[in-house]
Every structure is written in structure tokens, then in C-alpha cells.
Amino acid sequence: MTVLEKVEKQGSYSNLTLDATLKKYTLDPRDAHLLTNIVYGVIQHRLTLDFYLAPFVKNRKLDAWVRVLLEGAVYQMVYLDKVPERAIFYDATEIAKRRGKLGVAKFVTAILRNLQRQGVPSLDTIKDPIDRLSIESSTPRWLVDMLINEQGLEKTQSILSVINQPASASIRVNTQKHTVAQLQEQLVDRFPEIVPSKVAPAGLVSPGGHLAGAPEFEYGMFTMQDESSMLVAPSMTLKPNFEVLDACAAPGGKTTHIAEYLDEAAGGKVVALDLHPHKVKLIAKNAARLGLADRVDAWAMDAREAQDTFAPASFDRVLVDAPCSGLGLIRRKPEIKYEKKPEDLQHLPEIQGAILNSVAGLVKVGGRLTYSTCTMAKAENQNVVAAFLAAHPDYHQIPTPGLERLDKAHSAPALQLFPDDYGTDGFFIATLERIGE
């Protein structure tokens, strides 16, 4: 419950908060798995759980911790079949006694007993089909409306049908050290279901397991990265001697992937920028772990100031992996769908456009500017690209390399993936070539 409270009240990321909790407390694998299941399950299904609770809670105003406690109990009752209800009732009541007063404990017990007797209300009682889709998938109505408006009802239903499913663990193999097949063979004894990615040539995917805890991670043999994110560096068609700017680089996944294509002896270098000094240190740490520090130069800088620091036309390739709403990451960070608001899709494109405008003059004629996001909203993707091209006649858009390999990709000439396409994060990549005045 503490993890859920931190995520809801303090805005913490679920994955980071859960990882910190698991490291702090020594839990056996079964308990760790159950805790993970409950944390993600409650966040993923929050709107559905609140719908189930509403007839029993009625108009009573609940403290945040009481609501989280009830949601956790109802999640276990509805979605899990191996936790006895008597254990759920006992744990919820004991927590309520410790956190509140005896009256709160009695209230919690009464709610759960009534729900056990009467059963949860049927979603079929929701008459509006879009409201029902919203509650059923536990997705705010504004987000459902946006997806339907942009992608149609059928595609929206497909996307929402998978966003509450657990995301696979994916790793990017450090191809400077070995092949994908070699690392798979080395890991398969501990991760028997690990297989090559169907999307990313450098990726391996496993439905479960703590891959980041494997010694091969510390040895720099791989790094954690989503499959869709692994498509960015290959799409940049890099050469060993290229000078590259990664304008929004932390924590360095794409930076280090770019670095694998470069050769410091040939003059290849990637300059990685991030606004926060502590994140710049993280980029440098990841580069060192992977044995790529000789070709990574990390700077603390606002990307919007890049044009005042670097000489015009000084980079062969520039990557803007822009700060965005993160709506494509809902499966990994389900709290995003509740935290983001429609107004975020109004002010974020201004920031994204400002960064693109700042770095546009740094690209050599004949060079390329790659724009990527981990969102599914056209306001942050196609619309930002269209506005940039309208303001920069010295650029044109070309098909994103790698698009041709993916039969489920969308938005050509850009590459757009949705979570239901390949089970990856939602992601967008556009390739813009500078052609001169």
C-alpha cells in the first residue's frame, strides 16, 4: 500500500518506486511477484475498481490511504484467484487498524463483506458505450475520445485491450561485444523464454525475469531498452566517422546505441545533452559500463540553447527524442494515463517545436534530423513535424529507414507503433533531411 500511496500522492513512477521497495525489503520470489502484481494491477485498473466500489462506498469521502487499501483488496478479490478472501479481509482490516481507528477498520471490513455477498456491479449497466470502454479499460474519457478521433473506434478498442497487460522485459544487446544469438545462448539457462525481438534487430525479449540483475548487465553485455526505442539509432543510417548530437539524451539508451555505430579513431562522436547534471552523470555511467565512453561526450545543457553553443552545420546527424506526454508507455508506467491532462497536449508541442527549431541549423546540408517520441498523440507527433517543415523550407521529410520491415507500422513516411501492434511501447520516429536553402 505504501508503494501505491507514493505513486498517487507524490507522483512517483511506479516502476522506480516498486524497484526501490523490493531492494529495501528481502522478499522471497513469490511475495515479490505478488507485490508487483498488486501494485501494477491496482494502478492499471483504478477506474474499474472505483466503479466496483462506488455502490458500497456511496457518497462517503475517503482518505487517500483508505481508498488505496480498498482498491488493493478488491483487485485481489476480482482479478486474483490464488489469494483466499479470508486473508484479504484480515490483511485489510489489520492495516486499517494500524493506520486509522477501529471505526475505519470496521468500515473497511463492512465494505468488503457487502461486496463479497452482492458481487461487483456489471459494466453492462454503463449505457454510454464510450464511457463503458473508458471504465472497462480504466482509461480517462478524454484519452479514449482522443484515440477514437485520431485512430477510429476499432483501433482504439485494440489499443485499450492490451494496455493493462504486463509488458515483456526487453534488452538491447551490446553488439560491440557479441551477437544477439551469442548472448541469448548465454542467458537462456536463467531466462528460458528469452527470444530475439521481432521488431528490433539488436533486441532480446523475455516475458518475465529480472534481467537487470544478471551479471551480464554489469559487464556491459546489454542494456535495458524497449524494442520500439531500439529502432531509433538504426533509422539514423550512421557511419563510423559521423558527428552526432543527441539533444535530449538521458538516461542514455539511444545515446549508447548511436555510439555502437561510431568509431572514435575515425572521428566518430556523439554529444549527449540533458538539462539536469545528475542525469548527465547517468549517461556517462551507462556509456562507461557498455565500454563506449570514448565516443560519448555528455553535457548538461538545455537543448533549446544548443544553437548558441555549437557551430552551424556541425553535425551529420541530430536526434531530438523529445520530452513528451509518454502516452506510449502506459503498459510500463500505468499511472501516466491518470496524471496527464488534455492541456499537456497543448503546451508540450511548443517545447518540442522549440527544441527542433534550436537544433535545425546545426545539421549539415545533406544531413538528417531525427524526431522521436514515446507517445501516441498526433499533436506531439505528426503535427509537430508538419509545423517544423512549414517553418523550415530547407528540410523535407523522407521515409524513416526500417519502416519497410514492419508490416504493422503506421503514419508513413514516419514510423508510428502502437502497443497492440507488436507488444512494444507506443513510439514515433520521423526523419527529416536538410537539403539547403
Side-chain angles (χ1 to χ4, degrees), residues 79-308:
Y79 292 95
L80 304 184
D81 56 9
K82 293 185 179 180
V83 182
E85 290 192 344
R86 64 179 182 278
I88 297 170
F89 292 177
Y90 176 80
D91 288 343
T93 303
E94 289 301 304
I95 292 171
K97 286 178 182 177
R98 291 198 299 269
R99 290 290 303 269
K101 298 178 181 178
L102 184 60
V104 177
K106 290 181 177 179
F107 169 75
V108 167
T109 303
I111 292 290
L112 298 180
R113 290 293 182 193
N114 286 336
L115 190 146
Q116 181 189 45
R117 284 193 293 268
Q118 299 178 34
V120 297
S122 171
L123 293 167
D124 292 337
T125 60
I126 306 173
K127 300 305 180 186
D128 185 312
I130 308 305
D131 279 344
R132 186 162 61 249
L133 181 59
S134 168
I135 298 300
E136 187 175 44
S137 65
S138 196
T139 306
R141 174 65 191 251
W142 75 266
L143 183 50
V144 177
D145 287 338
M146 184 205 77
L147 287 170
I148 291 174
N149 183 56
E150 295 183 355
Q151 305 302 328
L153 178 60
E154 185 177 350
K155 182 62 176 176
T156 297
Q157 290 172 324
S158 180
I159 293 169
L160 297 182
S161 72
V162 304
I163 61 168
N164 293 325
Q165 295 175 4
S168 296
S170 57
I171 63 174
R172 193 191 82 235
V173 177
N174 185 351
T175 55
Q176 294 278 301
K177 296 190 175 185
H178 40 241
T179 66
V180 172
Q182 287 169 337
L183 185 59
Q184 180 188 8
E185 184 177 358
Q186 188 163 330
L187 293 172
V188 74
D189 62 324
R190 286 156 288 160
F191 306 94
E193 296 180 274
I194 196 165
V195 294
S197 167
K198 295 178 180 178
V199 176
L204 286 170
V205 181
S206 176
H210 185 43
L211 283 156
E216 288 86 353
F217 176 82
E218 290 301 327
Y219 299 154
M221 299 172 74
F222 67 85
T223 196
M224 305 303 298
Q225 191 172 356
D226 186 73
E227 297 168 85
S228 56
S229 176
M230 293 181 219
L231 297 173
V232 173
S235 80
M236 296 172 72
T237 57
L238 300 159
K239 294 182 180 179
N241 65 334
F242 274 4
E243 294 183 76
V244 182
L245 176 66
D246 186 352
C248 310
K254 299 175 192 69
T255 301
T256 53
H257 199 183
I258 290 168
E260 288 186 34
Y261 289 86
L262 308 179
D263 183 351
E264 193 270 340
K269 176 75 73 173
V270 53
V271 177
L273 309 182
D274 193 85
L275 183 61
H276 305 288
H278 70 281
K279 291 186 177 181
V280 172
K281 291 180 181 178
L282 183 59
I283 296 169
K285 181 181 178 181
N286 283 330
R289 180 177 58 83
L290 293 163
L292 300 166
D294 62 337
R295 62 204 88 168
V296 174
D297 193 4
W299 298 38
M301 182 189 299
D302 188 328
R304 289 168 289 189
E305 300 172 0
Q307 61 186 343
D308 302 322

Side-chain angles (χ1 to χ4, degrees), residues 46 109 165 192 253 421 428:
R46 174 156 285 147
T109 303
Q165 295 175 4
D421 292 328
F428 177 84

Side-chain angles (χ1 to χ4, degrees), residues 293-336:
D294 62 337
R295 62 204 88 168
V296 174
D297 193 4
W299 298 38
M301 182 189 299
D302 188 328
R304 289 168 289 189
E305 300 172 0
Q307 61 186 343
D308 302 322
T309 304
F310 302 103
S314 54
F315 293 100
D316 299 282
R317 297 285 188 269
V318 172
L319 169 62
V320 174
D321 184 52
C324 68
S325 63
L327 294 174
L329 307 178
I330 287 175
R331 289 203 310 158
R332 297 184 190 279
K333 299 175 181 177
E335 64 276 7
I336 285 174

